[in-house]
Amino acid sequence: MQEVEGFANGTLDYTQLKGDTGPLVYPAGFVYIFLGLYHATGRGSNIRLAQYLFAALYLLNLLLVFRIYCRTNKVPPYVFFFMCCASYRIHSIFVLRLFNDPVAMAILFLAINLFLEEHWSWGCLLFSLAVSVKMNILLFAPGLLFLLLQRFGLLGCIPKLCICALLQVVLGLPFLLVNPIGYLTRSFDLGRQFQFKWTVNWRFLPEEVFQNRAFHAALLLAHLAGLGLFALHRWHSSKESILTLLKDPAKRKPPSPPLTVNEIVFILFSSNFLGICCSRSLHYQFYVWYFHTLPYLLWCTPTTKLAHMPKVLLLGVIELCWNTYPSTVCSSLSLHICHGLILLQLWYGTAPVPVSHTPTPSRKRTATSKKAQ
């Protein structure tokens, strides 16, 4: 509320918008949405009303997530109990802490629902709106770019990317006209340093390593390598070169089959998860970035009856890691082990099945053998 109060009073220089927790570091969409909350809650004084609004947002978010899972038909119904009722941290992020992360994720899940209905332009518009609330949504961007190329080709996806870019310009225009450098460096600061005391995932490292730029560069390289490997060997299902994605879908040989619901969801969720695994730091509110995608990531691969309990156990250990405050060496290591196990399952569980070239016996031959008997 303090960060948007300056804008409510007419301040358009982004570098002057700040609060007790520091300067405003989110894009313009955050300012407009929380300005609405600022006025709706009597300048931030009616906390109970804000909690009711976020409780409604929580239910809407669940509805959007359930609709995605209903379309994929991958996750057993009992897992939804853990998604709804078993996460103290998620309830805290939504209804107690009132962070902007749930707002961004709810808009994102609405965009994914639109992608599943083949409303790509509207989906891109809402995806960009989610980015304007918080930049973590960009972790889904590599997957979305891959989907747009596969669905429309290079020339066909350019208008969709223009929709994303144009909305960012329109939302940021009041601030861009006053101090464009200040707005861009504050709202899209990719090099911002995180405080070691809040990290959930790197507590086992010395603080000097955590703050080291070489370590950040290594994580970025690991992230890019992971995206490249998944794009080449898990997202791209055709035997043709990945460069065929640049062609018009109608001119590809053989023509690309239509995107399935599970392809769309898997590519977007795994793109985000790769970014989570390679994040420079995860703070407690960041749990909502991927909490609702974990059941799909765990159950999207073929699962035997005996494998259900280890997957539920993984969800429980991840929840325990995020509920450990302050984080410890054990909790942060455990979180990385869980992430690594999920990555291994995604890699080996979605590997292409080798095609058998054994000729099938003809009907005539089968009939002959029966006659001989």
Side-chain angles (χ1 to χ4, degrees):
M1 292 295 96
Q2 293 171 339
E3 292 174 354
V4 302
E5 190 172 17
F7 178 65
N9 296 328
T11 302
L12 294 177
D13 185 348
Y14 227 68
T15 59
Q16 301 304 313
L17 299 177
K18 58 187 70 176
D20 290 344
T21 57
L24 174 59
V25 292
Y26 309 121
F30 162 83
V31 176
Y32 300 129
I33 291 173
F34 275 76
L35 181 66
L37 287 171
Y38 175 81
H39 290 300
T41 58
R43 299 187 176 184
S45 60
N46 192 345
I47 304 300
R48 180 60 59 87
L49 175 59
Q51 289 182 299
Y52 286 148
L53 292 172
F54 269 80
L57 177 69
Y58 174 69
L59 295 175
L60 174 63
N61 187 77
L62 280 180
L63 179 65
L64 294 169
V65 171
F66 285 171
R67 192 174 184 277
I68 294 171
Y69 277 88
C70 185
R71 294 289 305 276
T72 61
N73 198 28
K74 287 282 189 180
V75 180
Y78 72 86
V79 177
F80 297 127
F81 167 81
F82 299 98
M83 188 186 293
C84 296
C85 307
S87 178
Y88 162 79
R89 180 63 65 190
I90 292 299
H91 295 159
S92 172
I93 292 169
F94 270 90
V95 185
L96 294 179
R97 310 298 176 180
L98 313 179
F99 283 113
N100 62 330
D101 305 74
V103 179
M105 292 305 298
I107 298 172
L108 171 84
F109 286 127
L110 180 54
I112 294 177
N113 274 277
L114 289 170
F115 294 145
L116 298 183
E117 298 297 332
E118 287 287 315
H119 299 305
W120 291 93
S121 295
W122 285 108
C124 287
L125 186 73
L126 284 168
F127 180 87
S128 185
L129 180 62
V131 172
S132 76
V133 177
K134 193 155 188 179
M135 265 204 312
N136 71 283
I137 304 299
L138 289 175
L139 295 179
F140 292 88
L144 177 58
L145 177 61
F146 185 92
L147 290 172
L148 291 174
L149 288 171
Q150 186 168 342
R151 177 66 179 79
F152 301 103
L154 179 60
L155 294 178
C157 83
I158 289 176
K160 314 300 180 188
L161 298 178
C162 289
I163 291 173
C164 296
L166 185 61
L167 183 68
Q168 295 299 322
V169 174
V170 170
L171 293 175
L173 192 59
F175 309 104
L176 289 169
L177 292 174
V178 174
N179 185 354
I181 302 300
Y183 173 72
L184 294 173
T185 53
R186 279 288 174 84
S187 58
F188 296 99
D189 184 8
L190 297 174
R192 183 160 59 99
Q193 285 280 18
F194 293 104
Q195 294 184 13
F196 184 66
K197 67 177 181 178
W198 295 116
T199 188
V200 176
N201 58 330
W202 296 115
R203 179 66 62 182
F204 59 90
L205 292 178
E207 185 171 359
E208 55 271 20
V209 175
F210 174 79
Q211 298 287 3
N212 193 289
R213 292 292 184 184
F215 174 62
H216 303 164
L219 289 175
L220 177 61
L221 289 175
H223 185 196
L224 294 175
L227 288 171
L229 288 171
F230 266 76
L232 287 169
H233 302 290
R234 295 298 177 266
W235 298 350
H236 186 57
S237 55
S238 172
K239 295 180 180 179
E240 300 296 320
S241 167
I242 197 170
L243 296 178
T244 57
L245 295 179
L246 302 178
K247 298 179 181 179
D248 187 305
K251 297 179 180 178
R252 295 172 189 165
K253 294 181 181 180
S256 298
L259 286 167
T260 66
V261 167
N262 278 290
E263 281 178 324
I264 295 173
V265 176
F266 172 72
I267 289 172
L268 289 173
F269 283 8
S270 59
S271 172
N272 178 64
F273 185 68
L274 287 166
I276 295 289
C277 294
C278 300
S279 291
R280 288 188 289 126
S281 183
L282 294 174
H283 295 178
Y284 286 96
Q285 67 268 31
F286 297 178
Y287 190 22
V288 78
W289 291 6
Y290 77 128
F291 170 79
H292 294 100
T293 71
L294 285 173
Y296 183 83
L297 294 173
L298 283 166
W299 271 273
C300 69
T301 56
T303 304
T304 62
K305 290 183 178 180
L306 293 176
H308 283 273
M309 282 310 297
K311 293 185 178 185
V312 173
L313 180 62
L314 267 179
L315 286 178
V317 174
I318 290 173
E319 178 71 21
L320 184 63
C321 294
W322 283 95
N323 282 321
T324 302
Y325 177 81
S327 61
T328 63
V329 170
C330 181
S331 69
S332 59
L333 272 173
S334 299
L335 186 63
H336 278 288
I337 291 170
C338 291
H339 287 174
L341 291 173
I342 295 174
L343 270 181
L344 287 173
Q345 177 198 272
L346 291 176
W347 182 258
Y348 290 106
T350 59
V353 179
V355 180
S356 175
H357 296 287
T358 306
T360 56
S362 65
R363 291 183 180 180
K364 187 174 181 181
R365 185 176 178 182
T366 304
T368 306
S369 63
K370 284 183 179 180
K371 191 175 181 180
Q373 291 175 352

